[in-house]
């Protein structure tokens, strides 16, 4: 009889330290896409490895994860900032990065489960010092899963939220939820498990469905910048805005709806200290001061940073934004045309000429309010609609065209895409505006769409112009219903993909 006096060696190539060092060195110089694919494959293979001591297993995971990070940052930058990527290239990057975060989260989860299953083994004892890092990386990976879903305007499901909450509660019970760690070698500052969980809560509460992928990435960076100022507590404070039951699969909820049952797993999120810091940053950026410690992962125009900060602000306020109008369920078809040129033609009376336009779409509207509606997209339209797109719309059987803009994108659990549209005007009219100056430029009319709805002073008109059409030094002549008037430029209220909404003071001629 042969006694097993020595432990069996792991049956995996990466158990050999020299091989692991060689492979990670090669990964650093590999092309980003290939490197991420290779790391994902190694992670998947490790799940089936036997005889790995759990501390050694974690060390291998950590080194593979470290090797993938610069490549993931490059791919994410390409995804959100490169305007020339084809839809197929975007899809490949999304699938690749989402697959990595799914795999690395599963790997860290398996590692921690093994340590808890046999807490007195030599490997588990040796891993104790690294548990805060392992759990924080697991939560960071889950949080990145949320972000890549948000790029496609999809929400994290119950399974993901339950996994996030379970990791946080386990770390809290073990006493290391607030122990600071260096999450990744190249990352600025320290983090901990509780902050990573709070980051996921803030991200979910900040309405990412109203931002472009580039703005989502920027918002995520800004949340990280302000993260230490958010307060997550087991009891509500006077400035608490959201609550979450970490033991369930539910995302955070506004405190306007109170928890039904008070349980030990309830946590309350207070953004007030972060809001004060956000307001200070807005003030500095408005005065041209970009703080040196603001790490956004790249160069962004101050105007874009300010737009994202202003988006975040109401969701961190003591009273988050509420719906202004009650929604009503409805099932009706809506004819939709997109873009400034199409809208101008419709409101100039040329709707019949566009009847056979290939860009003409049919959307199914499933709820409506005074301020807008939500539409469900069929497969032919899915993926073609952009945030901020200008639309003209006509309900089935109606004779009136509406002017609107896409404010939100989303996805239902069954994969159907949703579009949230704000109605800008129910009585828009196309107009021609002529600059009040001599020469050829004065003879060329600027197309515009007069919104025609009451928004403020009676002598102020809101007119939708092609992008770049607003010139603060140029007064414009307007002939509306035979009445001549002069428009004095005031300000641009909003800019979209191919349009801007400007405010003018209307003065009579002579």
């Amino acid at each position: 009889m042969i006694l097993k006096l020595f432990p069996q060696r792991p049956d995996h190539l990466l158990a050999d330290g020299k091989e692991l060092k060689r492979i990670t060195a090669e990964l650093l110089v590999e092309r980003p896409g290939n490197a991420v694919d290779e790391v994902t494959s190694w992670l998947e293979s490790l799940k089936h490895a036997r005889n790995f001591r759990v501390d050694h297993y974690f060390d291998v995971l950590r080194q593979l994860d470290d090797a993938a990070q610069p490549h993931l940052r490059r791919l994410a930058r390409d995804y959100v900032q490169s305007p020339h990527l084809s839809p197929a290239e975007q899809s490949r990057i999304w699938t690749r990065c989402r697959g990595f975060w799914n795999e690395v989260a599963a790997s860290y989860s398996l590692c921690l489960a093994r340590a808890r299953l046999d807490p007195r083994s030599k490997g588990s004892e040796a891993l104790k010092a690294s548990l805060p890092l392992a759990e924080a990386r697991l939560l960071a990976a889950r949080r990145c899963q949320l972000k890549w879903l948000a790029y496609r305007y999809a929400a994290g499901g119950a399974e993901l939220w339950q996994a996030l909450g379970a990791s946080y509660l386990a770390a809290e019970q073990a006493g290391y939820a607030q122990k600071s760690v260096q999450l990744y070698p190249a990352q600025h500052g320290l983090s901990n498990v509780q902050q990573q969980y709070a980051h996921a809560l803030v991200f979910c509460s900040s309405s990412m469905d109203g931002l472009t992928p580039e703005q989502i990435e920027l918002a995520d960076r800004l949340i990280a910048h302000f993260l230490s100022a958010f307060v997550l507590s087991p009891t509500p404070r006077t400035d608490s805005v959201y609550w979450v039951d970490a033991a369930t699969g539910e995302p955070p909820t506004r405190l306007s709806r109170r928890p039904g049952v008070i349980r030990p797993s309830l946590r309350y999120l207070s953004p007030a200290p972060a809001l004060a810091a956000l307001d200070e940053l807005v003030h500095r950026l408005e005065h041209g001061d970009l703080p040196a410690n603001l790490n956004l992962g790249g160069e962004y125009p101050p105007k874009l940073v300010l737009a994202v900060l202003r988006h975040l602000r109401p969701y961190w306020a003591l009273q988050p934004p509420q719906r202004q109008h009650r929604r009503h369920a409805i099932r009706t078809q809506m004819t939709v045309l997109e873009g400034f040129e199409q809208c101008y033609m419709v409101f100039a009376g040329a709707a019949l000429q566009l009847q056979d336009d290939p860009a003409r779409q049919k959307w199914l509207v499933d709820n409506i309010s005074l301020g807008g509606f939500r539409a469900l997209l069929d497969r032919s339209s899915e993926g073609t609609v952009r945030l901020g797109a200008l639309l003209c719309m006509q309900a089935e059987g109606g004779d009136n065209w509406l002017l609107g803009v896409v404010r939100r994108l989303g996805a239902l659990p069954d994969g159907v895409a949703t579009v949230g549209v704000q109605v800008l005007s129910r009585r828009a009219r196309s107009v021609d505006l002529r600059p009040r100056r001599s020469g050829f430029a004065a003879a060329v009319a600027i197309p515009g769409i007069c919104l025609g709805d009451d928004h403020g002073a009676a002598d102020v008109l809101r007119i939708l112009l092609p992008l770049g059409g607003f010139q603060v030094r140029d007064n414009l002549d307007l002939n509306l219903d035979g009445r001549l008037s002069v428009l004095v430029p005031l300000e641009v209220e909003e800019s979209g993909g191919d349009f801007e909404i400007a405010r003018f003071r209307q003065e009579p001629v002579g």
Side-chain angles (χ1 to χ4, degrees):
M1 178 178 179
I2 300 175
L3 298 177
K4 293 184 179 179
L5 299 177
F6 301 99
Q8 291 180 297
R9 293 178 59 83
D11 61 346
H12 198 283
L13 180 65
L14 296 183
D16 185 323
K18 290 182 179 179
E19 281 298 308
L20 176 61
K21 186 176 180 178
R22 180 186 65 80
I23 288 168
T24 53
E26 290 175 354
L27 285 168
L28 292 176
V29 296
E30 183 61 270
R31 295 179 63 179
N34 293 342
V36 171
D37 286 346
E38 186 174 342
V39 173
T40 303
S41 296
W42 282 121
L43 292 171
E44 188 173 6
S45 70
L46 279 167
K47 289 190 297 188
H48 308 290
R50 294 175 297 176
N51 306 321
F52 247 114
R53 250 180 59 163
V54 70
D55 57 324
H56 295 163
Y57 185 79
F58 169 71
D59 191 54
V60 173
L61 295 181
R62 179 186 59 79
Q63 291 188 57
L64 288 172
D65 190 6
D66 288 348
Q69 291 306 308
H71 301 300
L72 289 161
R73 289 193 293 270
R74 172 65 183 273
L75 290 173
R77 189 162 57 247
D78 289 346
Y79 184 84
V80 302
Q81 291 186 342
S82 178
H84 305 299
L85 286 181
S86 68
E89 289 172 319
Q90 284 185 325
S91 183
R92 277 194 295 271
I93 292 177
W94 188 89
T95 301
R96 178 174 278 141
C97 292
R98 176 87 198 292
F100 171 84
W101 290 116
N102 289 352
E103 203 62 53
V104 78
S107 298
Y108 282 127
S109 180
L110 178 61
C111 178
L112 288 161
R114 285 184 54 195
R116 293 189 182 106
L117 191 63
D118 190 7
R120 296 189 179 183
S121 69
K122 288 183 178 180
S124 297
E125 288 289 342
L127 183 63
K128 278 185 178 179
S130 299
L131 286 176
L133 176 61
E135 202 83 67
R137 284 203 178 190
L138 172 56
L139 275 156
R142 301 284 192 207
R143 180 175 58 74
C144 288
Q145 288 178 290
L146 282 175
K147 183 167 70 170
W148 281 90
L149 285 170
Y151 287 152
R152 292 284 185 91
Y153 303 103
E159 184 178 352
L160 181 51
W161 280 107
Q162 197 155 28
L164 279 160
S167 292
Y168 164 68
L169 291 175
E172 193 176 65
Q173 186 176 4
Y176 55 74
Q178 298 185 50
K179 183 173 176 58
S180 296
V181 294
Q182 181 77 38
L183 196 60
Y184 286 100
Q187 185 165 314
H188 296 277
L190 301 178
S191 187
N192 60 49
V193 170
Q194 180 167 295
Q195 284 188 348
Q196 290 300 312
Y197 186 53
H199 192 147
L201 299 178
V202 177
F203 185 89
C204 177
S205 304
S206 297
S207 193
M208 297 298 165
D209 58 352
L211 298 175
T212 64
E214 184 179 30
Q215 291 172 323
I216 290 170
E217 172 63 21
L218 186 50
D220 190 56
R221 292 276 185 169
L222 288 166
I223 291 169
H225 178 74
F226 295 116
L227 195 55
S228 61
F230 288 91
V231 179
L232 188 65
S233 60
T235 55
R237 299 166 22 133
T238 55
D239 59 358
S240 295
V241 178
Y242 299 96
W243 63 271
V244 66
D245 188 341
T248 70
E250 294 296 322
T253 304
R254 292 175 185 170
L255 261 175
S256 55
R257 180 169 72 85
R258 296 278 173 174
V261 180
I262 303 302
R263 302 200 299 180
S265 50
L266 282 174
R267 294 295 180 272
Y268 299 86
L269 183 68
S270 303
L275 181 61
L278 181 149
D279 286 337
E280 181 183 348
L281 179 57
V282 168
H283 178 76
R284 291 180 66 175
L285 286 172
E286 286 176 339
H287 290 79
D289 180 16
L290 187 67
N293 67 337
L294 184 60
N295 175 31
L296 300 178
E299 296 293 328
Y300 290 93
K303 185 177 179 181
L304 179 60
V305 180
L306 279 169
V308 175
L309 287 168
R310 288 168 180 153
H311 169 88
L312 294 173
R313 192 190 190 289
Y315 297 98
W316 298 3
L318 194 58
Q319 293 294 331
Q322 304 287 335
R323 292 195 186 278
Q324 293 182 333
H325 307 290
R326 185 177 178 182
R327 290 190 173 274
H328 303 278
I330 192 173
R331 301 289 284 189
T332 187
Q333 291 280 343
M334 188 82 78
T335 300
V336 179
L337 289 163
E338 179 183 342
F340 178 86
E341 185 177 347
Q342 304 274 36
C343 294
Y344 177 83
M345 291 179 65
V346 165
F347 294 112
L352 287 176
Q353 299 175 27
L354 300 171
Q355 193 164 1
D356 298 324
D357 194 304
R360 191 182 181 102
Q361 302 177 45
K362 288 287 187 180
W363 290 2
L364 176 64
V365 176
D366 74 334
N367 69 51
I368 195 167
S369 73
L370 287 175
F373 62 86
R374 187 181 79 164
L376 309 180
L377 298 191
D378 61 26
R379 296 298 177 184
S380 63
S381 301
E382 187 177 348
T384 64
V385 183
R386 300 167 293 107
L387 275 174
L390 187 68
L391 308 174
C392 51
M393 308 152 290
Q394 186 181 63
E396 187 176 42
D399 57 3
N400 183 47
W401 286 85
L402 309 177
L403 183 68
V405 63
V406 175
R407 294 299 190 199
R408 298 190 183 281
L409 297 174
L412 297 178
D414 58 3
V416 175
T418 66
V419 180
V421 177
Q422 178 191 3
V423 173
L424 297 176
S425 178
R426 288 177 166 78
R427 49 193 182 96
R429 298 175 61 181
S430 293
V431 294
D432 291 329
L433 308 168
R434 297 186 182 276
R436 301 203 97 202
R437 58 176 185 259
S438 60
F440 175 76
V444 178
I446 300 171
I449 302 174
C450 185
L451 298 186
D453 291 335
D454 296 328
H455 284 271
D459 63 341
V460 173
L461 282 183
R462 297 167 69 238
I463 298 180
L464 199 144
L465 302 169
L467 193 64
F470 181 83
Q471 301 295 327
V472 71
R473 294 183 178 85
D474 288 347
N475 291 353
L476 302 173
D477 282 333
L478 169 66
N479 186 337
L480 193 61
D481 297 329
R483 291 180 298 172
L484 295 177
S485 60
V486 177
L487 301 182
V488 179
L490 296 176
E491 64 178 351
V492 172
E493 186 179 289
E494 176 185 350
S495 294
D498 64 348
F499 72 93
E500 53 195 21
I501 299 174
R503 296 173 69 248
F504 296 86
R505 187 173 68 252
Q506 187 177 20
E507 298 178 351
V509 173

